[in-house]
């Protein structure tokens, strides 16, 4: 089964590849590695939610935001390498969480992205990860992440 078929089976539609809003590219390749820029949970041109977790945004909504951000990252990777079927391995994700003071469960937010990668790719989607709390993030997004993947 191709990953395109797997996405259909899972009911997941990749969004269009994100358009950078500055002097950078959404994804780039070096050797057999593809890197994304920081991906935000943008749907139809707007953040799905905004603010700090859990003060303004619930943990559950933060997990959904991480899922949206990782799907945006996969769309950027697909645009860069032609097909998600060209991914040999998800190597690492770095997840930045716009955290309220005293919030220490960034890993729970990052699971929204990690679980999505494993759901789509199976063992190929198992990766290393950093999940860190931030005082502020661009556009007051609740989560930002990047992806590193190995290409076949």
């Amino acid at each position: 089964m191709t990953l395109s078929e797997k996405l259909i089976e899972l009911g997941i539609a990749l969004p269009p590849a994100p358009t950078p809003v500055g002097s950078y590219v959404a994804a780039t390749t070096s050797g057999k590695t593809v890197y994304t820029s920081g991906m935000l949970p943008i749907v139809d041109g707007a953040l799905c939610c905004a603010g700090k977790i859990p003060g303004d945004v619930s943990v559950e909504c933060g997990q959904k935001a991480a899922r949206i951000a990782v799907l945006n990252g996969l769309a950027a990777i697909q645009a860069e390498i032609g097909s998600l079927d060209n991914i040999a391995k998800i190597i690492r994700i770095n997840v930045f969480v716009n955290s309220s003071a005293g919030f220490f469960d960034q890993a729970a937010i990052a699971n929204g992205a990690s679980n999505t990668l494993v759901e789509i790719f199976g063992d190929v989607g198992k990766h290393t990860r950093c999940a860190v709390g931030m005082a502020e993030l661009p556009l007051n997004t609740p989560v930002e992440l990047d992806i590193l993947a190995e290409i076949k």
Side-chain angles (χ1 to χ4, degrees):
M1 173 183 300
T2 67
L3 283 173
S4 296
E5 293 167 339
K6 175 80 176 206
L7 290 171
I8 291 167
E9 180 182 283
L10 294 171
I12 298 172
L14 282 186
T19 303
V21 295
S23 298
Y24 61 92
V25 295
T28 191
T29 305
S30 179
K32 291 189 139 286
T33 306
V34 61
Y35 303 80
T36 71
S37 292
M39 295 290 142
L40 304 181
I42 293 178
V43 177
D44 296 327
L47 287 174
C48 67
C49 53
K52 295 191 176 299
I53 300 170
D56 305 312
V57 176
S58 71
V59 169
E60 294 77 18
C61 187
Q63 291 168 330
K64 290 176 187 171
R67 179 180 175 91
I68 292 166
V70 85
L71 292 174
N72 285 335
L74 291 176
I77 289 172
Q78 182 170 270
E80 174 70 12
I81 67 171
S83 170
L84 295 182
D85 290 310
N86 294 328
I87 293 177
K89 176 85 178 134
I90 302 296
I91 299 168
R92 181 179 189 83
I93 64 171
N94 297 299
V95 182
F96 307 95
V97 179
N98 191 356
S99 299
S100 297
F103 180 65
F104 304 109
D105 205 6
Q106 288 78 16
I109 305 306
N111 283 342
S114 292
N115 293 345
T116 300
L117 291 170
V118 173
E119 178 184 19
I120 294 169
F121 293 97
D123 286 343
V124 169
K126 293 180 180 176
H127 52 275
T128 63
R129 177 179 89 185
C130 284
V132 296
M134 307 301 290
E136 304 292 339
L137 286 173
L139 306 177
N140 200 26
T141 185
V143 65
E144 179 176 5
L145 60 81
D146 62 45
I147 306 169
L148 287 77
E150 180 184 352
I151 303 167
K152 291 180 182 172

